[in-house]
Amino acid sequence: MTPSGTFKDVQTAFAAHLRDPENNPAPEDIEDRRMAIYRDLFFNNVRGFISNNFPVLRKLYDDDSWDALVRDFFAHHQSHTPLFPELPREFLRFVEERRGPEQGDPPFLLELAHYEWAELALSLDAAEINEVAAIPDGDLLAGVPVKSPVAWLLSYQFPVQHIRPDFQPSEPSAQPTHLVVYRTREDDVRFMELNAVSARLLQLVDADTGATGLQCIEQVATELGTTVDAITGAGRQVLEQLRSRDILLGTQPV
């Protein structure tokens, strides 16, 4: 065996032991006291970062169960990036692709994890509102509304924004929960709850088909089986409210 091969083997064994010490022995000739320092350092860093970025989810688990969940992630997930700020996305990917339902996991685990991840992801998104071409005070009905690139429409089966230790639904809601997570011009990340009709209107605006605000309202009216006149006033109010929150930035320049 070549020296480089020997070193590579030691590295592999070292990393495997740090990830899953119960199932992977430490490299030979390394004092366990020294290995314990690395075991604790690596795991505690990962656990602390995950706990800080998923605070609601963390509160739903006791210490042992939370450590087991993070250990499962640390031991088995193959990250797609070495960037530490992307660790929450890697944890979400782990929940999506590998975790599956485990005893003690809430049925809303994936949706709550996604909801909490979205706040961090949007705060780090490189897109800038001020770089988007839009007429801030444009007529949202006559013109083509422009949605902010840092505003995401999200839909969940569980009311994730209300979940806490004393409210943990065991079944999905009768109707989906529609939320917009968005970043303001002051770089504050916020959430706004929408009803199904308002969510559909924003979805049509986000489709970027060149439709005016009124045309989007007409589409909603058709889907609801009602007249445009019956919902135009409410539709305008929704669009204006979205603009006031920097979810819509105005209208497309002519």
Side-chain angles (χ1 to χ4, degrees), residues 115-148:
Y115 171 69
E116 294 204 89
W117 162 80
E119 181 176 3
L120 174 68
L122 202 57
S123 69
L124 297 176
D125 194 299
E128 294 289 345
I129 288 178
N130 295 332
E131 296 178 357
V132 178
I135 303 172
D137 58 351
D139 188 325
L140 293 173
L141 261 61
V144 178
V146 176
K147 188 181 76 65
S148 167

Side-chain angles (χ1 to χ4, degrees), residues 7 13 19 22 27 35 42 80 83 104 111 167 185 189 212 215 223 228 242:
F7 180 64
R19 282 176 172 268
E22 291 188 2
M35 286 301 304
F42 277 76
H80 293 65
L83 300 177
E111 290 196 343
F167 177 69
R185 295 180 189 275
V189 177
T212 65
Q215 288 171 331
E223 294 173 4
V228 177
L242 294 174

Side-chain angles (χ1 to χ4, degrees), residues 36 40 56 79:
D40 292 343
V56 178
S79 294

Side-chain angles (χ1 to χ4, degrees), residues 1-13 28:
M1 182 179 292
T2 64
S4 61
T6 300
F7 180 64
K8 182 178 180 180
D9 289 343
V10 171
Q11 283 185 311
T12 301
E28 297 180 1

Side-chain angles (χ1 to χ4, degrees), residues 62-162:
D62 59 39
D63 291 346
D64 290 343
S65 298
W66 182 249
D67 283 358
L69 174 59
V70 177
R71 176 65 70 183
D72 192 12
F73 163 69
F74 189 49
H76 299 115
H77 180 68
Q78 296 295 318
S79 294
H80 293 65
T81 172
L83 300 177
F84 213 64
E86 290 294 325
L87 190 59
R89 180 66 184 93
E90 293 298 333
F91 180 75
L92 178 62
R93 186 176 286 116
F94 158 75
V95 173
E96 290 174 322
E97 299 175 357
R98 177 185 171 86
R99 177 67 177 180
E102 296 281 345
Q103 185 175 3
D105 284 345
F108 48 78
L109 171 63
L110 176 57
E111 290 196 343
L112 179 58
H114 186 276
Y115 171 69
E116 294 204 89
W117 162 80
E119 181 176 3
L120 174 68
L122 202 57
S123 69
L124 297 176
D125 194 299
E128 294 289 345
I129 288 178
N130 295 332
E131 296 178 357
V132 178
I135 303 172
D137 58 351
D139 188 325
L140 293 173
L141 261 61
V144 178
V146 176
K147 188 181 76 65
S148 167
V150 284
W152 302 344
L153 178 61
L154 309 174
S155 295
Y156 301 105
Q157 294 302 308
F158 288 88
V160 290
Q161 75 279 25
H162 299 308

